[in-house]
Amino acid sequence: AYGNYYGVLHEFKEIYKGDSLNLEKYFYKGLVYLELYQFQSAIENFTKILLIKNNKYSDESRWYLGLCYLKIGQKLKAKNYFEEILNMQRYKRNEAREILQKIKM
């Protein structure tokens, strides 16, 4: 199954060649890296999305950044992203609340 994800990453390179600031590219690359357990690469891609304020991928990127940081044991950073989600009252708010209750610090 992972071979398929590596193929997708190769396709991204071809599709978005020369397009350095394509939020869609960063979002889907982030998802693929997350599926491959390459959390640092996923974090890099989702973080690039948040550099552009209030774009259509911002809310979901916050959610996935929280998950990535949780997976690599950085609970404080994860907590910050989940708290942002709660404060904004948007994407996956209830799920963020549940995770925050489980990772009390």
Side-chain angles (χ1 to χ4, degrees):
Y2 291 122
N4 293 342
Y5 287 115
Y6 288 111
V8 168
L9 287 174
H10 177 71
E11 291 295 321
F12 279 138
K13 288 179 185 174
E14 293 301 311
I15 293 170
Y16 296 108
K17 194 182 296 186
D19 190 353
S20 63
L21 190 60
N22 186 301
L23 299 177
E24 181 181 52
K25 170 183 79 171
Y26 292 126
F27 182 73
Y28 288 108
K29 276 178 68 177
L31 290 178
V32 170
Y33 282 123
L34 183 62
E35 288 294 322
L36 291 170
Y37 300 96
Q38 294 182 17
F39 302 116
Q40 198 57 49
S41 294
I43 288 168
E44 289 170 16
N45 280 277
F46 292 128
T47 300
K48 287 177 183 177
I49 291 168
L50 294 184
L51 295 175
I52 308 298
K53 300 287 183 211
N54 299 321
N55 66 74
K56 71 179 187 175
Y57 298 103
S58 294
D59 292 344
E60 291 175 73
S61 294
R62 265 186 206 85
W63 168 255
Y64 289 116
L65 277 165
L67 291 180
C68 286
Y69 282 116
L70 202 55
K71 294 281 189 183
I72 61 173
Q74 293 187 17
K75 289 183 181 179
L76 184 58
K77 285 187 178 181
K79 181 181 177 218
N80 290 337
Y81 283 107
F82 293 130
E83 285 177 345
E84 280 182 34
I85 291 169
L86 274 182
N87 293 334
M88 298 171 111
Q89 301 184 6
R90 294 205 279 238
Y91 185 78
K92 297 234 183 223
R93 185 170 189 250
N94 292 333
E95 292 89 338
R97 181 183 297 113
E98 289 174 20
I99 289 174
L100 283 169
Q101 290 171 349
K102 290 178 185 175
I103 62 169
K104 288 180 183 173
M105 300 181 70

